Amino acid sequence: MYLAEPEAHITPDYEQVDLQPILQKEHFSQEDYQLLWEQTGLSKTAIDQILDTRFHPSKTILDYQQKFFDTPIYQCYSNTVISHEEIIVNQDGKYTIGTSIANVQEGDVFITKSSHTFGWRNGHAAIVVDEENKNTLESITLGTNSRLSTVSRWESYPNFIQLRLKDTDKETRAMIAQNALVYLNDLPYSLGMGLWHWKNQPQDSISCTNCSHLVWQAYQWYGYDLDSDGGFLVTPKDLANSDLFEVIQVYGVDPNNIWS
């Protein structure tokens, strides 16, 4: 069943412009980076990574731009008895990617609006725990334990937001990610973290988690409270709106209003 549900994918409602004049520059201004962000969903961090490592960087950035303005086909399917999510498919109905993720580091957080329960887009979240092998740690659905997954799975969502903790070095973020792998892997899924379980759990006695709580708890143990509204529950939206994050890349969402 193919659905065009509201907010599953937002294609820009503004003009796709010619980026070649910018890409031919030796150095980009702040205004150039802003235009590239609005045209590709790539932050300055992601743009600079592409320019440093790709053989034909201008073509690569133009590819990102085209995918950012394309509207993908996606399929909605049930992943539990109460929840659904959308995945991008090709014309034959087989899973495919919408766009590739340009820059991945351990500790990065991914958010999508593609998961929904009873029509509410509660979303989904994950943390990158292995940069080399592109592995994430996720608490995916009710009735399953948290486990390793892959970054490539996120490239098949019709929308995603990639976040990175501000003002910290790569080694610190990697340490947080590895600690999450030790203490937050293979835990039962619980909807009630923050309700019938205390939200902040000790490392040596935590017994359950859920997708957004897993990410929040991993950083909370190191003194970073990513819950933007400070409530009993932490949701993917709360993570997406945290001032402690910088946005690295977006796809299928409004780059100037990632989750209102």
Side-chain angles (χ1 to χ4, degrees):
M1 177 176 61
Y2 296 91
L3 299 177
E5 298 181 355
E7 299 183 21
H9 180 91
I10 296 175
T11 302
D13 60 1
Y14 45 83
E15 181 183 3
Q16 182 176 350
V17 303
D18 181 9
L19 295 179
Q20 289 286 11
I22 292 177
L23 297 176
Q24 291 170 3
K25 294 182 179 180
E26 185 175 353
H27 301 290
F28 297 159
S29 67
Q30 183 176 347
E31 291 75 17
D32 293 335
Y33 279 114
Q34 179 63 30
L35 180 60
L36 289 168
W37 164 248
E38 293 173 352
Q39 289 286 310
T40 66
L42 299 170
S43 68
K44 180 181 184 298
T45 298
I47 291 287
D48 289 348
Q49 173 73 9
I50 291 171
L51 295 176
D52 286 344
T53 60
R54 302 299 175 93
F55 185 65
H56 293 296
S58 62
K59 182 178 185 301
T60 301
I61 291 172
L62 292 176
D63 289 343
Y64 276 104
Q65 181 193 30
Q66 188 57 56
K67 291 174 181 177
F68 195 68
F69 277 84
D70 288 342
T71 301
I73 302 169
Y74 51 88
Q75 183 176 17
C76 180
Y77 73 94
S78 174
N79 56 0
T80 72
V81 294
I82 63 171
S83 61
H84 296 73
E85 67 176 8
E86 294 99 7
I87 294 293
I88 296 174
V89 296
N90 60 23
Q91 294 291 340
D92 296 325
K94 296 180 180 179
Y95 293 169
T96 187
I97 71 169
T99 194
S100 57
I101 293 168
N103 178 294
V104 177
Q105 295 183 10
E106 290 175 13
D108 284 359
V109 172
F110 286 104
I111 309 287
T112 183
K113 300 180 183 182
S114 291
S115 296
H116 46 100
T117 304
F118 299 128
W120 171 49
R121 287 198 176 277
N122 50 296
H124 180 53
I127 183 171
V128 177
V129 294
D130 186 336
E131 175 182 334
E132 181 177 357
N133 295 304
K134 303 292 191 293
N135 286 334
T136 58
L137 180 64
E138 305 181 35
S139 184
I140 298 176
T141 60
L142 191 65
T144 64
N145 286 9
S146 54
R147 59 179 175 83
L148 290 177
S149 188
T150 63
V151 169
S152 62
R153 192 169 94 91
W154 287 81
E155 294 173 332
S156 292
Y157 282 122
N159 65 78
F160 67 77
I161 303 161
Q162 181 187 3
L163 305 166
R164 184 171 296 162
L165 194 67
K166 294 177 183 176
D167 303 322
T168 52
D169 55 41
K170 187 175 180 180
E171 290 71 25
T172 297
R173 298 192 303 272
M175 179 176 60
I176 292 170
Q178 292 309 304
N179 193 64
L181 188 57
V182 172
Y183 291 102
L184 294 166
N185 190 24
D186 199 29
L187 295 180
Y189 189 100
S190 172
L191 290 171
M193 297 304 297
L195 292 177
W196 50 86
H197 302 283
W198 291 110
K199 185 167 73 170
N200 193 10
Q201 294 281 313
Q203 287 184 346
D204 58 358
S205 62
I206 186 168
S207 59
C208 55
T209 190
N210 59 47
C211 70
S212 49
H213 175 266
L214 185 155
V215 172
W216 176 85
Q217 186 69 84
Y219 277 94
Q220 178 63 30
W221 283 331
Y222 285 83
Y224 300 101
D225 186 355
L226 303 177
D227 187 355
S228 59
D229 70 2
F232 290 107
L233 297 172
V234 57
T235 67
K237 180 179 178 180
D238 294 336
L239 299 175
N241 288 326
S242 174
D243 290 337
L244 299 181
F245 280 133
E246 63 171 312
V247 183
I248 303 299
Q249 183 177 352
V250 299
Y251 173 73
V253 301
D254 182 347
N256 296 312
N257 185 19
I258 62 173
W259 199 331
S260 58

